[in-house]
Amino acid sequence: MSIYWNHRVKTLSPYIPGEQPQKGGFIKLNTNENPYPPSPKVIEAIQKALGAALRLYPDPGCTELRAAIAQRYGVMPEQVFAGNGSDEVLAFAFAAFFEPAGENQKALPILFPDITYSFYPVYAQLWDIPFTPVPLAADFSITIADYTRASGGMVIPNPNAPTGRALSRSDLVSLLRFYAQEGEGTCGRVVLVDEAYAAFGGDLEAAPLIQEHPNLLTVHTLSKAAALAGLRVGFAIGNRELIQGLCRVRDAFNSYTLDRLAQAGATAAILDAPYYAEVNRKVIATRNRVSAALLGLGYEVIPSQANFLFIRSRQSRGIQFFTFLREQGILVRHFNKPRIADFLRVSIGTDEEMDRFLGVCESYRA
Ligand SMILES: *Cc1c(COP(=O)(O)O)cnc(C)c1O
């Protein structure tokens, strides 16, 4: 606490990111980074952008990047917003589309799962948006009937994090229809779908649905599937009005959120779909192999459509298992939270890294 902090800062409970050890030697399976390098074309594009032009501000409209994204997803550039990591895009979306309690006594709480990306409650707090966490079922699946009620809007990662479980397209469409209904507490409510891991789940991408569902905003990141966590690029796809709403928030904050190198690298990444299809096919194959091996060793494994597994030892507490792995040089993520404190989230590494991990799990004996 400091006397210099205002009320907002005093009452925040900020997000705590996974550890980024500054010394090597760890097998790092704790922040869902891609174990493979970005496309060589990304490096080339950044090297090309690295020069005297850095004197100039970057393109505030991220024109080339948005055109590449639009082409890749079959939408118009006006339906694409680019930002400094999807965390920034999410923060802007909360600010643009959800009603703060202070300004509107009738503001209804927004809904998101009780077990989900832990940044959502932080953004809600930051912008003073009331929220109600909706409990996942015992098997960590989402019960869509729990979301079909009056609310200020809803947020859902698909697949969910840290569980890895996915929502089907038909369930998502039911939600979009409900949230588009006429009526108090439904009309004009935005459904925000965070697709950080959609590339690892087969047929999950919801962006094509924006043409029919003007209340849908999908949020994407290059950090996981495009192996560019270090570049900080995310984007959103939605109807023009939603995109303009995001631009208004950005331009009330910082017009140049994406620098020249990030725009060049991200554009090259979007254009090199074949490279990433190959890389992520490997990640998915490794995930399926490791999942089966862990089940064989007696661990509980939640079915995952993401680039991580959510697992539990039946013999010990989550923190003990976490500590054992850490002592063996393997870093995973433990969330000390109700319902999931005995689970660990394990990012999918290379096959060699995962073989080391499986060896340690075998010696730990489920
Ligand atoms: C990693 C992650 C993000 C953040 O992505 P950045 O683009 O790196 O900010 C957003 N949502 C979920 C669910 C994530 O797991």
Side-chain angles (χ1 to χ4, degrees):
M1 282 292 166
S2 161
I3 56 163
Y4 302 111
W5 295 356
N6 67 14
H7 178 72
R8 188 198 293 270
V9 173
K10 279 180 188 153
T11 54
L12 276 179
S13 25
Y15 177 77
I16 304 162
E19 186 180 347
Q20 294 291 344
Q22 296 305 307
K23 275 186 285 186
F26 276 109
I27 293 185
K28 194 173 176 306
L29 307 178
N30 70 332
T31 51
N32 298 343
E33 288 138 333
N34 203 303
Y36 300 106
S39 155
K41 292 181 181 159
V42 169
I43 313 301
E44 245 171 68
I46 292 175
Q47 273 162 350
K48 237 177 100 189
L50 193 56
L54 285 178
R55 179 178 74 78
L56 301 168
Y57 280 109
D59 170 11
C62 303
T63 313
E64 275 185 44
L65 172 58
R66 285 173 46 242
I69 294 168
Q71 198 185 21
R72 151 84 173 71
Y73 287 87
V75 299
M76 306 290 289
E78 297 77 29
Q79 294 169 316
V80 178
F81 177 86
N84 193 276
S86 66
D87 286 338
E88 182 185 80
V89 178
L90 288 164
F92 288 175
F94 274 61
F97 309 125
F98 301 145
E99 206 65 63
E103 287 164 29
N104 179 354
Q105 293 300 309
K106 285 200 299 188
L108 289 167
I110 61 167
L111 307 177
F112 46 75
D114 62 337
I115 298 165
T116 193
Y117 188 37
S118 32
F119 234 133
Y120 304 149
V122 178
Y123 297 134
Q125 256 196 323
L126 174 66
W127 306 123
D128 191 28
I129 296 157
F131 63 96
T132 303
V134 180
L136 294 178
D139 66 356
F140 296 145
S141 63
I142 285 174
T143 312
I144 58 162
D146 295 343
Y147 292 83
T148 51
R149 54 172 144 133
S151 78
M154 66 169 287
V155 187
I156 188 179
N158 196 28
N160 195 8
T163 64
R165 272 196 180 271
L167 191 69
S168 72
R169 186 177 289 244
S170 59
D171 278 352
L172 179 60
V173 169
S174 309
L175 288 169
L176 290 167
R177 292 219 175 98
F178 178 85
Y179 277 73
Q181 279 171 21
E182 294 291 328
E184 205 173 334
T186 50
C187 181
R189 301 299 192 236
V190 170
V191 175
L192 214 154
V193 179
D194 183 346
E195 295 199 342
Y197 303 104
F200 304 102
D203 184 31
L204 291 176
E205 287 177 348
L209 298 174
I210 65 154
Q211 313 293 8
E212 259 185 76
H213 300 276
N215 58 340
L216 169 65
L217 188 78
T218 62
V219 177
H220 310 251
T221 175
L222 299 198
S223 297
K224 315 305 180 10
L228 285 171
L231 202 64
R232 310 304 303 132
V233 181
F235 57 95
I237 300 177
N239 93 65
R240 235 172 257 249
E241 290 171 37
L242 294 179
I243 299 308
Q244 283 168 357
L246 292 171
C247 291
R248 285 172 75 90
V249 172
R250 179 198 56 205
D251 294 333
F253 173 78
N254 171 8
S255 289
Y256 305 103
T257 54
L258 277 183
D259 63 63
R260 284 175 171 271
L261 307 185
Q263 289 190 36
T267 306
I270 298 289
L271 293 175
D272 199 0
Y275 173 86
Y276 287 107
E278 177 57 20
V279 158
N280 291 326
R281 192 195 52 73
K282 278 201 286 189
V283 172
I284 292 168
T286 307
R287 175 193 72 204
N288 294 343
R289 177 175 75 81
V290 173
S291 173
L294 286 169
L295 287 168
L297 291 172
Y299 289 88
E300 182 179 349
V301 183
I302 305 299
S304 172
Q305 303 267 64
N307 68 338
F308 56 82
L309 293 170
F310 205 44
I311 68 167
R312 187 167 70 97
S313 155
R314 298 178 199 274
Q315 314 297 337
S316 74
R317 311 254 57 142
I319 189 68
Q320 290 169 321
F321 188 18
F322 171 86
T323 306
F324 182 79
L325 287 166
R326 201 172 197 290
E327 284 163 3
Q328 308 296 314
I330 297 174
L331 210 50
V332 300
R333 194 87 196 263
H334 174 247
F335 299 93
N336 193 15
K337 288 187 182 166
R339 297 183 71 189
I340 56 168
D342 283 335
F343 283 83
L344 300 180
R345 191 194 67 192
V346 182
S347 310
I348 300 303
T350 61
D351 278 306
E352 299 71 48
E353 288 173 328
M354 298 320 281
D355 286 340
R356 276 275 311 279
F357 167 75
L358 284 172
V360 174
C361 290
E362 191 168 4
S363 72
Y364 193 64
R365 296 277 12 136

